[in-house]
Every structure is written in structure tokens, then in C-alpha cells.
């Protein structure tokens, strides 16, 4: 039987006609194409390869592997539930809680590099914020405020600064001092001096308007404006103290401000407090602040999510080793840390590349898009030092953050922990970030599974063979015979060696069997 293998194969190959090769390659191309279409449809619907899922779910347990598909399935069910949650405005732009000072920091960068760190769109949003927070309809009644109302609308920085000086000549105007502290002061010390001057005027206006706020809509609007001015000044003074190294003083000022105005959550003062507490390495107080603000009903932020992940990672990162974890499995504390990292990465997937210094940082913009590249820059710019201070935290992040994308169900816009990921972040970030010297990050897309790529390659290869065989049947027949002969050559060689070694009587008995 074995002795007849080679002659039988040769006879079979000699009897094949070119039409057979055309039919064979055409059929194989059709089959591989159908498999490719099915794999693509399955991936679009379920976010995974059918062949890969079958091999993981059914073949790996038979071979002694571990089935890791259950977390994905459970997350998918959570994703379906989250799709019914109240959606949040996709492209809502927020004021950066830690934005720098224009005169002392942004302009200094321009002087040194010759580049503009802020885009026109970003500065235009700030101008709108200033008009909203620092002006009201009754400003025309006071000459200094009337001048500042025009100053906030000026596009030319020098015109704004000149108007602020003109306003201060008439009276001690708080908003005029704010403008000079933000744009004219070239150092943080000068800015702090101007903000202290603004604080005196702001507190006097606030007390006067507080007594008259219930006397009509006009007085109520004026009191609201004076409240915004006072909160802004106190917060900026706390940021000056933080930048000048007086961190404990900054923490006290921020805590007092949050107690005095607990309802003004739009300023996100708690993010300034978290950053200052991390600088003091006061992790217990950081956890207490997170417990208050890390709630699913409140708007999330990268600061909240990644600070929570940092605290969880801090408990295990100094002893974490990927090799040891792969041998013994993850402990409960390590699982909690990994889950917190996955939760943070799903909220904003751009942050890890900045924390791991895989992408260059730039100065943060004055406005950010939550879950966008702009928020990632703003977070990493101030918090990278806090991650570096915790031993092993960046190593744990490096080992685990990419695993998030294998757990997110398809489609990618449907997250399983938060509201759907906005689809317009890239467009908005291009308006907020200076694309001239910064490449905007795009939300990492799920890579195609290996089997879809393999099937696509196989389909293309067989289709090419079918075309060549149809055009050159005789030549392709020669190539096919040569290929099959080469393929069976090792088998023929082995059979010849076995025939020469074994006794002829034994070989005769084996062939009869």
C-alpha cells in the first residue's frame, strides 16, 4: 500500500486537465470569499471573529486553557443597558479647571518658541465666558463696568489691557484687575498681587449686591455676576499659591471656597483640590474627595477616573510584576487596580500615551472636551508627576491599559461603564489644539482579528490563482504539478528510506495489511 503511494500520485497528477485547476481555484476562491463575508458580518455585529471565538470558547478548554470570554460577555450586557441611559451632549466644551495664565505662562511660551499655544477658537470661547461671568445688563449704570463690558469684547489684547487701565483710573474695579492679572502680568507673583487687589473690590461689590439681590431681577443678575467674580478671584489666588509652592495654603483656600459656594460645581474646583492634595501626598483626603465626586450621576472627568485608578494602583504597584501575575494570577487588590485602570481608559483612552510619555505633551488649552485629546493633555500636564511619584504605577498602567480595548463591546461608541463615546471629539479637538505642531489623537479603533485578515489574504490569493489559471491554464497546470511534486517529495524520500531499512518480508506483510 505504502509502496504504491508515489506511482498513484504521479498517475493522478498526469490525468488532471487544466479545466480541473480552473475549477479548483475558482471553487476555493468562492469558499474563502464566503468565509470572509461571514467573518466580516459577525465582527461588525458582535465585535469579535467567529473562528477566534469558537477556538477560545471550545478548543482552548479541551487543550487545558482558560476561558476568558465571560468578562467580555458580561460587559456586553452592561453595554446594552448603558445604551438606554440619558445621553450627554456630545461636543460640549468645558472650561479647563487648571488653565494657565495668559500673561505669565502662555505668552512666555510664545516669547521663547515663537508659537501660539492657543487657537483662535479656544480664545474666542474664553471671550464668551468672560462676557457671561463678568458682565451683566446693569453695567451701563457704572462707568468702570461699562468700560470693562466693552473690554471683554475686544479682540486685540493691547486694547483690552488699555481699557482695563482706563477702568481702574475711574474706580477700583475687580474685573479690570482680573484682566490685567490674566493678560498683562508676566509672572505669577505679579498676577497674585493684582488678584489680591481685585479681591478687595470684589468682596465689597459682593456684599452690596447680596443685600439688594431680592429687590428685582436686575439686582439678582448683578449679584450673580458679583458671585462669579468673587469665586473666580479666590480660585485664581489659590492657584497662584499652588504655583508658588504654598500648597497647604492653596488647599485651605480651595476647601473654604467649596464650603462657601457649594453649588457652583460648574467651576470644577474639586479638581484643583485633588491636584493640590496629590502634591502633598495626602492620599486619604484625596480618597475622601473622590468618594464625594466619583458618582455615576455626576459628569465624569479624566481627573476623577485616573485619580481613582492611581489610588487603587498605589496599593499594589510597588510589588506588581507581570511575570509573577501571569504565573499565580491576579490578587483581589490587583484585580481592583486593573479594573480601575480599564474604567479610566474607557472614559478617556488618550491619557495613557501622555502619562507613559509615548506622545509629547504641549501646553494645555483653556477649554477641554471631556473624553477628548484636549482633556488628556490637560490632565497629564499636571498629573504626570503624581504618577511618577507612586512607585510602579506607570509600570502597572503600561502592562494593563491596552487590555481595555479587548473588553469594549462593539460598536466602539457603546461603552459599558459610561455614556456612549462621542463621535465628534476629533473634530472638536482640532479646533481646540494647535495642530500646526501637535498631532491630534484619534480614539483607538479595535484592530481587525487575525482570522479576518487571514481570510481576506486567502481569498485574494485564491482569486488571483483562479484568474491566472483561467488565462494561462497549461502554464498553471505545469506549476501545479511541480508544486505538488515538491510537496510530496519529502514523503517519497521517507518511504524510500523505510523500504531500504526494513526487511523485504516485513515490508511485504505491512503492504498486505
Amino acid at each position: 500500500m505504502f509502496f504504491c503511494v508515489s506511482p498513484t500520485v504521479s498517475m493522478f497528477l498526469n490525468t488532471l486537465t487544466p479545466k480541473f485547476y480552473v475549477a479548483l481555484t475558482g471553487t476555493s476562491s468562492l469558499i474563502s470569499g464566503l468565509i470572509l463575508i461571514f467573518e466580516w458580518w459577525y465582527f461588525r455585529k458582535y465585535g469579535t471573529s467567529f473562528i477566534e471565538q469558537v477556538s477560545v470558547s471550545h478548543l482552548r478548554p479541551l487543550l487545558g486553557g482558560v476561558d476568558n470570554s465571560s468578562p467580555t460577555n458580561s460587559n456586553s450586557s452592561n453595554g446594552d443597558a448603558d445604551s438606554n441611559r440619558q445621553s450627554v451632549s456630545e461636543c460640549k466644551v468645558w472650561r479647563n479647571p487648571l488653565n494657565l495664565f495668559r500673561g505669565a505662562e502662555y505668552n512666555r511660551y510664545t516669547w521663547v518658541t515663537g508659537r501660539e499655544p492657543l487657537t483662535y477658537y479656544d480664545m474666542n470661547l474664553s471671550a464668551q465666558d468672560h462676557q457671561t461671568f463678568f458682565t451683566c445688563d446693569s453695567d451701563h449704570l457704572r462707568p468702570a463696568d461699562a468700560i470693562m463690558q466693552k473690554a471683554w469684547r475686544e479682540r486685540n489684547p493691547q486694547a483690552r489691557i488699555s481699557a482695563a487701565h482706563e477702568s481702574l483710573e475711574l474706580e477700583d474695579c475687580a474685573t479690570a484687575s482680573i484682566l490685567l492679572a490674566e493678560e498683562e502680568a508676566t509672572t505669577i507673583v505679579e498676577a497674585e498681587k493684582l488678584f489680591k487687589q481685585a479681591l478687595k473690590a470684589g468682596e465689597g461689590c459682593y456684599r452690596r449686591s447680596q443685600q439688594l439681590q431680592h429687590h428685582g431681577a436686575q439686582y439678582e443678575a448683578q449679584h450673580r455676576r458679583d458671585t462669579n467674580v468673587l469665586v473666580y478671584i479666590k480660585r485664581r489666588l489659590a492657584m497662584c499659591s499652588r504655583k508658588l509652592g504654598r500648597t497647604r495654603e492653596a488647599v485651605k483656600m480651595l476647601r473654604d471656597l467649596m464650603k462657601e459656594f457649594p453649588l457652583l460645581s460648574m467651576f470644577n474646583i474639586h479638581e484643583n483640590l485633588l491636584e493640590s492634595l496629590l502634591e502633598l501626598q495626602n492620599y486619604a483626603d484625596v480618597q475622601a474627595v473622590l468618594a464625594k465626586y466619583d458618582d455615576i450621576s455626576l459628569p465624569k472627568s479624566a481627573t476623577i477616573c485616573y485619580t481613582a485608578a492611581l489610588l487603587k494602583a498605589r496599593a499594589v504597584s510597588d510589588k506588581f510584576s507581570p511575570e509573577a501575575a501571569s504565573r499565580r494570577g491576579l490578587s483581589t487588590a490587583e484585580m481592583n487596580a486593573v479594573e480601575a485602570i480599564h474604567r479610566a481608559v474607557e472614559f478617556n483612552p488618550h491619557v495613557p500615551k501622555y502619562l507613559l510619555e509615548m506622545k509629547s505633551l504641549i501646553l494645555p488649552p483653556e477649554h477641554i472636551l471631556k473624553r477628548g485629546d484636549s482633556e488628556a493633555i490637560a490632565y497629564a500636564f499636571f498629573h504626570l508627576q503624581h504618577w511618577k511619584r507612586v512607585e510602579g504605577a506607570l509600570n502597572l498602567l503600561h502592562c494593563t491599559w491596552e487590555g481595555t480595548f479587548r473588553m469594549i463591546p462593539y460598536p466602539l461608541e457603546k461603552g459599558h461603564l459610561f455614556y456612549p463615546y462621542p463621535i465628534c471629539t476629533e473634530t472638536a479637538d482640532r479646533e481646540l489644539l494647535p495642530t500646526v505642531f501637535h498631532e491630534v489623537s484619534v480614539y483607538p479603533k479595535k484592530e481587525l482579528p487575525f482570522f479576518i485578515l487571514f481570510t481576506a489574504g486567502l481569498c485574494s490569493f485564491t482569486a488571483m490563482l483562479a484568474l491566472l489559471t483561467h488565462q494561462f491554464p497549461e502554464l498553471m497546470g505545469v506549476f501545479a504539478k511541480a508544486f505538488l511534486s515538491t510537496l510530496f517529495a519529502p514523503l517519497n524520500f521517507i518511504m524510500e528510506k523505510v523500504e531500504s531499512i526494513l526487511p523485504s518480508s516485513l515490508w511485504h506483510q505491512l503492504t498486505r495489511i
Side-chain angles (χ1 to χ4, degrees):
M1 179 178 177
F2 290 101
F3 182 76
C4 298
V5 169
S6 181
T8 304
V9 171
S10 300
M11 290 178 60
F12 175 72
L13 293 176
N14 290 329
T15 57
L16 296 180
T17 62
K19 292 182 179 180
F20 170 80
Y21 294 109
V22 174
L24 177 64
T25 52
T27 304
S28 60
S29 178
L30 176 63
I31 294 174
S32 59
L34 292 175
I35 294 175
L36 174 62
I37 293 172
F38 174 76
E39 278 280 295
W40 180 254
W41 168 82
Y42 195 88
F43 176 75
R44 292 282 297 178
K45 187 172 183 180
Y46 299 105
T48 185
S49 165
F50 174 77
I51 300 175
E52 183 178 358
Q53 186 179 25
V54 170
S55 62
V56 169
S57 301
H58 301 288
L59 298 181
R60 183 179 293 181
L62 296 177
L63 298 176
V66 180
D67 184 9
N68 294 326
S69 61
S70 55
T72 304
N73 296 335
S74 63
N75 290 333
S76 298
S77 62
N78 292 334
D80 294 334
D82 282 334
S83 63
N84 298 323
R85 289 179 182 169
Q86 180 181 5
S87 66
V88 179
S89 178
E90 288 186 345
C91 288
K92 181 179 180 181
V93 178
W94 301 70
R95 188 163 182 84
N96 182 8
L98 293 167
N99 66 306
L100 305 178
F101 291 85
R102 280 198 188 177
E105 293 171 308
Y106 287 122
N107 285 349
R108 186 177 296 277
Y109 177 83
T110 304
W111 298 336
V112 174
T113 65
R115 294 173 173 175
E116 290 291 342
L118 300 176
T119 63
Y120 174 78
Y121 176 70
D122 191 16
M123 291 188 289
N124 188 46
L125 289 176
S126 295
Q128 295 176 18
D129 291 340
H130 294 153
Q131 293 176 49
T132 302
F133 292 149
F134 302 148
T135 64
C136 66
D137 294 336
S138 62
D139 282 346
H140 65 279
L141 301 176
R142 293 190 294 187
D145 288 336
I147 295 175
M148 287 308 301
Q149 193 173 36
K150 296 179 181 179
W152 294 120
R153 295 172 183 168
E154 285 286 350
R155 296 182 181 274
N156 188 342
Q158 290 303 321
R160 290 197 298 272
I161 292 173
S162 298
H165 282 294
E166 183 182 351
S167 177
L168 284 175
E169 290 176 359
L170 296 177
E171 63 175 290
D172 195 5
C173 180
T175 54
S177 298
I178 289 176
L179 192 149
L180 295 178
E182 290 287 351
E183 301 194 22
E184 188 182 43
T186 57
T187 64
I188 302 298
V189 174
E190 292 178 15
E192 185 181 37
K193 182 179 179 181
L194 286 167
F195 274 121
K196 287 181 178 179
Q197 177 181 329
L199 180 61
K200 294 180 181 178
E203 286 179 335
C205 292
Y206 175 76
R207 284 193 295 268
R208 287 192 296 269
S209 63
Q210 190 177 30
Q211 296 172 358
L212 301 173
Q213 62 175 316
H214 301 299
H215 292 189
Q218 176 181 332
Y219 293 104
E220 190 167 342
Q222 187 173 342
H223 176 67
R224 184 164 53 249
R225 189 276 307 271
D226 292 339
T227 302
N228 291 335
V229 169
L230 184 61
V231 171
Y232 187 91
I233 293 171
K234 289 187 174 182
R235 179 186 181 190
R236 278 313 228 181
L237 278 172
M239 294 176 70
C240 288
S241 297
R242 167 70 182 91
K243 292 175 183 291
L244 294 173
R246 305 194 303 268
T247 311
R248 295 188 184 278
E249 179 183 335
V251 168
K252 183 180 184 304
M253 295 172 69
L254 291 169
R255 286 190 186 278
D256 293 342
L257 187 58
M258 292 171 66
K259 290 179 181 177
E260 188 177 359
F261 302 97
L263 300 179
L264 290 180
S265 59
M266 60 181 171
F267 287 102
N268 291 323
I269 302 173
H270 59 275
E271 297 197 10
N272 299 87
L273 179 60
L274 284 173
E275 197 279 326
S276 299
L277 289 172
L278 286 171
E279 176 64 22
L280 295 175
Q281 301 184 48
N282 195 341
Y283 298 110
D285 285 351
V286 171
Q287 184 61 56
V289 175
L290 284 179
K292 183 177 180 181
Y293 289 95
D294 191 8
D295 186 272
I296 197 64
S297 63
L298 296 174
K300 292 293 177 182
S301 68
T303 301
I304 293 292
C305 296
Y306 279 89
T307 302
L310 176 61
L311 293 187
K312 294 285 180 64
R314 177 176 170 268
V316 297
S317 59
D318 57 337
K319 299 178 181 177
F320 178 79
S321 169
E323 294 80 11
S326 61
R327 289 195 305 268
R328 58 173 170 76
L330 294 175
S331 64
T332 303
E334 289 172 338
M335 281 294 295
N336 291 336
V338 171
E339 183 181 349
I341 289 175
H342 285 180
R343 178 173 176 253
V345 173
E346 185 184 334
F347 180 80
N348 193 320
H350 309 299
V351 173
K353 284 193 174 182
Y354 291 106
L355 291 179
L356 297 172
E357 298 181 82
M358 300 166 64
K359 194 169 183 183
S360 299
L361 273 173
I362 62 173
L363 291 185
E366 292 185 336
H367 289 81
I368 59 174
L369 185 68
K370 288 196 174 183
R371 311 188 77 183
D373 192 32
S374 52
E375 184 192 34
I377 291 171
Y379 171 79
F381 187 85
F382 292 98
H383 288 261
L384 175 59
Q385 58 179 333
H386 305 316
W387 280 81
K388 286 185 175 181
R389 190 177 291 123
V390 177
E391 183 182 356
L394 289 175
N395 177 50
L396 180 60
L397 177 68
H398 176 72
C399 295
T400 57
W401 76 276
E402 290 182 307
T404 307
F405 305 116
R406 293 192 293 270
M407 300 172 63
I408 296 179
Y410 194 85
L412 288 172
E413 291 79 16
K414 182 176 63 178
H416 59 272
L417 288 172
F418 299 94
Y419 49 87
Y421 190 85
I423 59 176
C424 63
T425 53
E426 182 183 355
T427 305
D429 277 332
R430 290 189 187 281
E431 297 290 335
L432 290 172
L433 299 173
T435 54
V436 176
F437 56 90
H438 174 74
E439 182 181 353
V440 175
S441 299
V442 181
Y443 182 68
K445 297 291 188 289
K446 242 182 180 179
E447 295 182 357
L448 289 177
F450 167 75
F451 289 104
I452 288 185
L453 299 175
F454 175 77
T455 309
L458 179 63
C459 178
S460 303
F461 178 71
T462 53
M464 183 185 66
L465 283 182
L467 179 62
L468 291 175
T469 306
H470 182 267
Q471 294 293 328
F472 312 102
E474 295 183 359
L475 183 60
M476 291 301 294
V478 173
F479 280 135
K481 290 178 182 179
F483 174 74
L484 291 176
S485 300
T486 305
L487 186 64
F488 284 105
L491 180 61
N492 292 333
F493 177 77
I494 294 173
M495 296 306 301
E496 290 176 1
K497 290 296 183 181
V498 171
E499 183 181 359
S500 62
I501 293 174
L502 293 179
S504 56
S505 58
L506 178 59
W507 183 251
H508 179 68
Q509 294 295 328
L510 289 175
T511 54
R512 291 184 61 184
I513 294 174

